[in-house]
Every structure is written in C-alpha cells, then in structure tokens.
Amino acid sequence: MKKIVTMQDISCVGKCSLTAALPVISAMGIETAVLPTAVLSTHTMFRNPTFCDLSDQIEVILDHWEENHFSFDAIYTGYLGSLRQMDLARELIFRFRKGPVLVDPCMADNGKLYAGFTNEFVDEMRNFCAEADIICPNLSEACFMLKIPYQEKPDEEMVRKILKDLTRIGCHTAILTGISFNDTETGAYAYNRDTDTYTYVSAKKQKESFHGTGDLWASCFIGALVRGKSFEASLKLACQFVSRSIELTLQEDNHNTYGVNFEQALPDLIRSL
C-alpha cells in the first residue's frame, strides 16, 4: 500500500487541514500518516478558537519514525502556523524525502494574509517552497510570494507569467488553484519548468465558495498522483471532486460557509479511481 505523510493542524470542528486530508487520502486507498502541528477547537473562521501548539512534539516524532525506519511515498505540507514549524517541515523533508513533495502555502485568501501572518512569514514561505517538487498556492498566496499586486481576475497571459515566476523560486512545478476565465468553469493552471509546458483543467463552477476547499483539492491531487494517475488526470480529478463537494453542500437547506459536504462526494471519488 502506498503511504503519504501530511503535516498540518487539526481543527476539531470545521472541515479543513487534517480533518479533510486524512479522510480524503485514506478513501483513495492510501495509508495516511499525520504530523499534527497544532490542535484548535475550531478552524479560524469561528470566533476565538482555542489553540494548542504541538511544535515541541514534532522533532521527537520524527526521531521515533527514523528509529523505526518508516518511509513515505510522498510528503504533503499544508497550514504551518509559525516560522519554527516551517523549519520542522524542512526537517521532515530532509529526513523522509522519497517521492514527490507537495507544499500548499496556506497563508492568504481574497488578497489578504490570514490573521497572525506577517511579511517575514511570506518571505520564509517563499524560501520553503524552494524545497518542494510541486506547490499549489491560490492566487492571493502567489501574489504575496512574488510581491506583486493582487488581481482578482487575471487574464491567461498574466496567469502564465505568475506560474513561470513561481517556479523560479525553486520548485519544479507550480499550480494555481481557483483559476477561472469565464462564469461557468473554474480550475487549476499548472506550469512545469523542466518540460516548459502549461496545463489547464477545469470543472463546473459552483455559485458559492467555501472554506477548506483548497485543502480538499490538494489532498485529492496528491492522492491521485501517488495512485499513479497522470499529472493532468490528477489535476482534473481534484477539480471535479471539489466541484462535486460544493454542489452537494448547496443542496442542503442549512448549509453554511464553514465547510463543504465532501463526505458524500467520497463515493464518486472512489469510483473514479
């Protein structure tokens, strides 16, 4: 069985980070090891969540894994809450790199940094992305890392320039998620600097957006890639899974913005593998 290790936080209520990554990757038939960075009572869209930093536990966990000769087919990092945690993520990659390393630089949305993040954090995240094979920022995160003004709806020429500039950070492949050029579709645009090729895939654009869909997208993408699907097929599957999850959420009369109904989209995902 293939194995993926993912490093990010646990929000006890709210569908994001590890509570999204673990069920999605596991449902795809991949053993999922987790390296929790923190425990929150809820994710940060709720008011005043409790927060327990687990940074002190990470290095001893890595030591124990190394003593037991564990190995993983891919490494995937999500939300990292501090500069120290970024250094610990580097240690994870240094010790256990075997297959692809995916970094989702979770730190911004809608042109604004998440609460508590600074320009220093952005600079360090840019440096950290050089450790990755693949990065998958949204447009806000990409603009912060490149120090360019945020554009809500860039044209295709600008998207291609952003992607190429992102690979100059040091990664082999950059993916921009949530890219849309019309009112009916949204998708992911990628650039591979080794082959100098671009790839764009899309799925049906839903009428609302929700917190946590980036985590679902990245989890599905790396899962498909480790399962042996092509890069383009992995992009497509992740876009379709997120679109379907939002579609099912909107069918619920009492839906809210705190997370999507991805659980009922898992059977469709499993059938597509």
Side-chain angles (χ1 to χ4, degrees):
M1 183 184 291
K2 296 289 187 178
K3 299 180 178 67
I4 291 175
V5 58
T6 180
M7 179 177 176
Q8 45 193 309
D9 68 277
I10 298 174
S11 293
C12 297
V13 173
K15 304 175 187 182
C16 66
S17 300
L18 283 181
T19 56
L22 178 57
V24 170
I25 298 172
S26 296
M28 298 177 79
I30 300 168
E31 183 177 327
T32 313
V34 299
L35 191 56
T37 58
V39 177
L40 290 78
S41 56
T42 67
H43 65 54
T44 54
M45 282 192 69
F46 292 93
R47 293 181 59 190
N48 303 319
T50 65
F51 179 87
C52 178
D53 191 325
L54 299 179
S55 297
D56 289 341
Q57 294 298 310
I58 293 173
E59 192 155 13
V60 295
I61 290 171
L62 295 179
D63 289 341
H64 188 236
W65 286 358
E66 201 163 38
E67 289 170 7
N68 284 274
H69 308 291
F70 293 156
S71 66
F72 309 101
D73 296 287
I75 295 171
Y76 155 39
T77 68
Y79 184 95
L80 302 172
S82 67
L83 300 179
R84 184 185 178 197
Q85 288 185 356
M86 226 177 300
D87 286 337
L88 291 166
R90 285 189 179 93
E91 188 71 14
L92 168 67
I93 293 168
F94 175 75
R95 293 204 206 181
F96 293 96
R97 186 178 216 138
K98 174 184 173 184
V101 173
L102 173 68
V103 170
D104 184 0
C106 303
M107 60 180 176
D109 208 355
N110 298 315
K112 297 179 180 180
L113 288 173
Y114 294 151
F117 287 161
T118 63
N119 288 332
E120 182 186 9
F121 186 90
V122 173
D123 291 341
E124 285 303 310
M125 180 59 76
R126 183 191 306 109
N127 294 335
F128 177 59
C129 283
E131 308 285 345
D133 297 297
I134 307 168
I135 63 172
C136 57
N138 60 33
L139 190 59
S140 298
E141 292 153 350
C143 290
F144 273 110
M145 286 195 290
L146 295 177
K147 299 183 184 297
I148 60 174
Y150 171 69
Q151 295 186 42
E152 186 176 354
K153 293 182 178 180
D155 60 23
E156 189 167 8
E157 181 180 1
M158 176 57 70
V159 168
R160 287 185 168 224
K161 183 180 186 308
I162 289 172
L163 286 167
K164 187 168 281 192
D165 288 345
L166 285 170
T167 61
R168 293 192 176 106
I169 290 171
C171 61
H172 294 274
T173 301
I175 306 167
L176 280 175
T177 58
I179 297 299
S180 179
F181 299 115
N182 57 54
D183 294 331
T184 61
E185 294 179 318
T186 189
Y189 214 128
Y191 174 70
N192 182 306
R193 67 179 168 89
D194 298 330
T195 59
D196 192 28
T197 54
Y198 293 92
T199 307
Y200 178 64
V201 302
S202 63
K204 181 180 178 182
K205 187 175 185 178
Q206 304 296 334
K207 63 182 181 180
E208 292 186 36
S209 59
F210 291 86
H211 185 80
T213 50
D215 300 329
L216 292 175
W217 190 95
S219 301
C220 183
F221 168 76
I222 192 63
L225 208 61
V226 168
R227 286 271 310 211
K229 286 191 173 290
S230 70
F231 181 79
E232 184 172 354
S234 299
L235 290 175
K236 185 72 173 178
L237 187 63
C239 292
Q240 291 172 336
F241 174 60
V242 170
S243 177
R244 178 60 175 158
S245 297
I246 296 174
E247 180 181 36
L248 289 168
T249 305
L250 294 175
Q251 292 174 9
E252 299 177 354
D253 292 336
N254 63 342
H255 72 266
N256 56 47
T257 60
Y258 294 122
V260 295
N261 181 8
F262 73 87
E263 296 90 343
Q264 291 185 342
L266 288 175
D268 292 333
L269 173 61
I270 294 167
R271 282 191 290 267
S272 69
L273 294 172

